[in-house]
Each structure stands twice: as C-alpha cells, then as structure tokens.
Amino acid sequence: MDITVIPLQEKDFKPLFTNPEELGFGRVFTDRMFTMEYTEGIGWQNPTIRKYEPFSLDPATLVLHYGQEIFEGMKAFSGPDEQILFFRPEENVRRFNRSARRMSMPELNEEDMLQAIVELVKLEKRWIPKTRGPRSTSAPP
C-alpha cells in the first residue's frame, strides 16, 4: 500500500510527556493520525498519515445516525536499542475486522492495516516511553 505522509511543521509538534504515568489511554494523543477513505464500488483508498486534527463530517454520516464505529487500541513499547515492540498487532487487526463483519462494515486488508500501524508508530516514535510506567491489568508480562 502506498501511504501518503504529509510532513508536519515545527509548530505542529505537541510537547512530550516525560512521565509515563501521565500517558493515559484516550486522554493523550500524538502528533499524527492515519486516515483512509472508503467508497462503495472502489473500496478503501487514499491512505494518509497527517497532522492529528479534527475532521469534518457530513451531517448525514452514518456513524452519527446509527452509531457504527470501531475503535481498536494497541500498545507499543521501546525495546532494546530503542526498537519498537508491539503487543499482538495481528490480533488487533483481526479483532477490528471481526467487528467490521458483525457491523456490516467493509473490512480492511490485514497486511495494509499492519503496514499503516507500523508506519504511523515509526513516525510517532518519540511518544513511546523509554521507561515503563506502573503495571496495569492490561499490560503484557
């Protein structure tokens, strides 16, 4: 998949949190986001990594009327030599597609989805804490 990456300007970078305990799921967002459009008959298209920002939705957007939405979170850790380690990314992709099937939404190609995740996280590497915060019940051993 050919992902368009729109470069950020210096002013677009957010200040980093230095304490991993301050990083809260759903509370702190990185500098960029991945988006892709879907058109019936064409499928998924225009994969893009760009600045994290609000996007506009048409008032007739189905998610506003029928509540169809899928959100899948994933953990990434800094390993030896600052290597990026993911916690079970393939399972996240499979779970996302299972949710899409149940909701009669179009599935994503698993390889493309994994590629998008890896490319986005590589660009956002500065957000991955170098030290581990307190263990939670959802943290891997």
Side-chain angles (χ1 to χ4, degrees), residues 20-130:
E21 294 179 28
E22 295 175 336
L23 293 172
F25 184 77
R27 293 190 324 238
V28 177
F29 299 94
T30 61
D31 303 311
R32 297 173 181 89
M33 65 183 183
F34 174 82
T35 61
M36 194 159 52
E37 301 167 9
Y38 182 83
T39 304
E40 196 161 336
I42 297 173
W44 290 104
Q45 59 192 338
N46 302 326
T48 306
I49 294 176
R50 64 182 195 214
K51 177 183 172 185
Y52 179 92
E53 60 189 349
F55 46 83
S56 63
L57 297 174
D58 185 287
T61 301
L62 290 178
V63 71
L64 300 175
H65 297 278
Y66 298 100
Q68 283 189 288
E69 167 185 350
I70 303 168
F71 182 87
E72 193 57 55
M74 183 182 312
K75 295 182 185 226
F77 301 92
S78 184
D81 300 323
E82 296 190 22
Q83 176 187 10
I84 299 172
L85 304 174
F86 294 95
F87 183 67
R88 300 170 39 166
E90 297 86 2
E91 288 302 314
N92 283 74
V93 171
R94 287 186 197 111
R95 191 169 39 248
F96 182 94
N97 276 338
R98 280 195 304 271
S99 296
R101 276 192 301 279
R102 282 195 312 269
M103 296 177 71
S104 298
M105 293 172 70
E107 294 180 42
L108 292 159
N109 175 288
E110 290 184 9
E111 289 178 14
D112 289 348
M113 194 169 172
L114 284 170
Q115 176 191 352
I117 291 165
V118 168
E119 287 191 35
L120 177 62
V121 174
K122 280 182 183 178
L123 288 168
E124 298 291 43
K125 184 177 181 176
R126 71 187 197 103
W127 286 91
I128 300 174
K130 304 288 185 266

